[in-house]
Amino acid sequence: MTFVDEVKNAVTPRAALLVIGVLGLQLLFIASYVGALHKPKPTDVAFGVVAPQQMSQQLVSQLDGLPGGPLDPRTVGSEAEAREQIMNRDIDGALIVSPQGRTDTLLVASGGGTVLSSALERILTQVEAGQQRTVRTVDVAPASPDDFDGLSSFYLVVGWCVGGYLCASILAISAGTKPANRQRALIRTAVMAVYAVAGGIGGAVIIGPILGALPGSVWGLAGLGALVVFSVGMITLALEALTGIVGIGLAVLIIVIAGNPSAGGAFPLPMLPDFWRAIGPALPPGAGTWVARSIAYFRGNAVTGPLLVLSAWAVAGTALTLLLSMRRRGGRDDGRTEATSSPSPSGGSTAV
């Protein structure tokens, strides 16, 4: 047998296509992470301005015209209202102008990302210096001292996402990516649900009582974790049922390559390029990171939208998995279709 024949036997056309697909995912991983994170800068950060009426609009126009458009300023009626809007996550910071003195107050929320808070402080310090004024910073939702750069919530959600698609992948690899019937699909869904509850509780306990990295409700975080794990797991099962083993790669594409760099974890959403800022809130890592931070630092505010996003992924994945399982499949289990057995006329069993 020639060397070429050996190569043909060792690397089947299907294996070659899968290797090419993995190479594509590798290059997309590099492009996505470097593209999203190599040059973070604040753009259109929602920002409040509390100032005397005669200077309020002028200051808003000045901040709106800063080079590069780092701020999206709007007038706010009072300091109390500005604080409430920050806690509701409607704005990311606010400047409170003192009508008597020359020292103004900058309100930030490092619980939403210390990098963004530091960027706001740097920008407003420069602006105030140009007006011969100074600024003092007040953190109305400070990150825990054990939560460096506010990253713990992001890593928690990443762990939940990894668990979700790994569990679904193991179910597929061990017994075939495409369930042979609806009963098998229901069993996989039930296993995914049990795993999701265990993963949610485990992650919340580790990051809260054990490590003390995040404050907030342990049970709130546990519920979020169960939803994140289940949504990622079910969409992975659905993609596997639809495309076979390729579905694992598609799940990696959605969750890891597109979802993680756009989640607002390493850098909050206002510091990401437009494309990643647009897709982040619609993907499980971004929705989960937002809710985790809200639970930990913002009294659980502004979580309805992200929870609906996670629920939509879970419902879509479950529905697609069950619908695809209703299609009759046959053939041996080659990693694509799960095999079932039925009695043969001779008393044995045959695969169907």
Side-chain angles (χ1 to χ4, degrees), residues 3-23:
F3 177 75
V4 174
D5 292 330
E6 289 284 3
V7 171
K8 289 181 179 180
N9 286 335
V11 184
T12 65
R14 180 167 179 262
L17 289 175
L18 289 174
V19 169
I20 293 172
V22 170
L23 176 61

Side-chain angles (χ1 to χ4, degrees), residues 167-321:
C167 180
S169 300
I170 289 171
L171 289 174
I173 293 171
S174 63
T177 54
K178 300 178 180 180
N181 53 52
R182 187 173 57 184
Q183 288 72 25
R184 299 288 178 89
L186 286 170
I187 291 171
R188 289 188 181 186
T189 301
V191 170
M192 199 69 247
V194 173
Y195 178 87
V197 171
I201 294 174
V205 170
I206 289 171
I207 205 163
I210 294 179
L211 297 179
L214 277 186
S217 168
V218 173
W219 289 111
L221 289 173
L224 168 65
L227 182 57
V228 170
V229 174
F230 187 73
S231 63
V232 171
M234 290 313 301
I235 201 66
T236 303
L237 286 177
L239 291 171
E240 291 166 351
L242 183 65
T243 64
I245 196 171
V246 174
I248 297 175
L250 294 177
V252 171
L253 176 64
I254 294 171
I255 305 302
V256 179
I257 295 176
N260 286 353
S262 65
F267 300 107
L269 288 176
M271 302 193 72
L272 297 180
D274 291 342
F275 173 75
W276 285 269
R277 187 191 308 193
I279 67 172
L283 299 175
T289 299
W290 178 278
V291 176
R293 283 179 172 160
S294 289
I295 292 173
Y297 299 117
F298 296 93
R299 304 191 298 242
N301 292 328
V303 299
T304 301
L307 288 177
L308 288 175
V309 168
L310 291 169
S311 299
W313 282 99
V315 170
T318 303
L320 189 57
T321 298

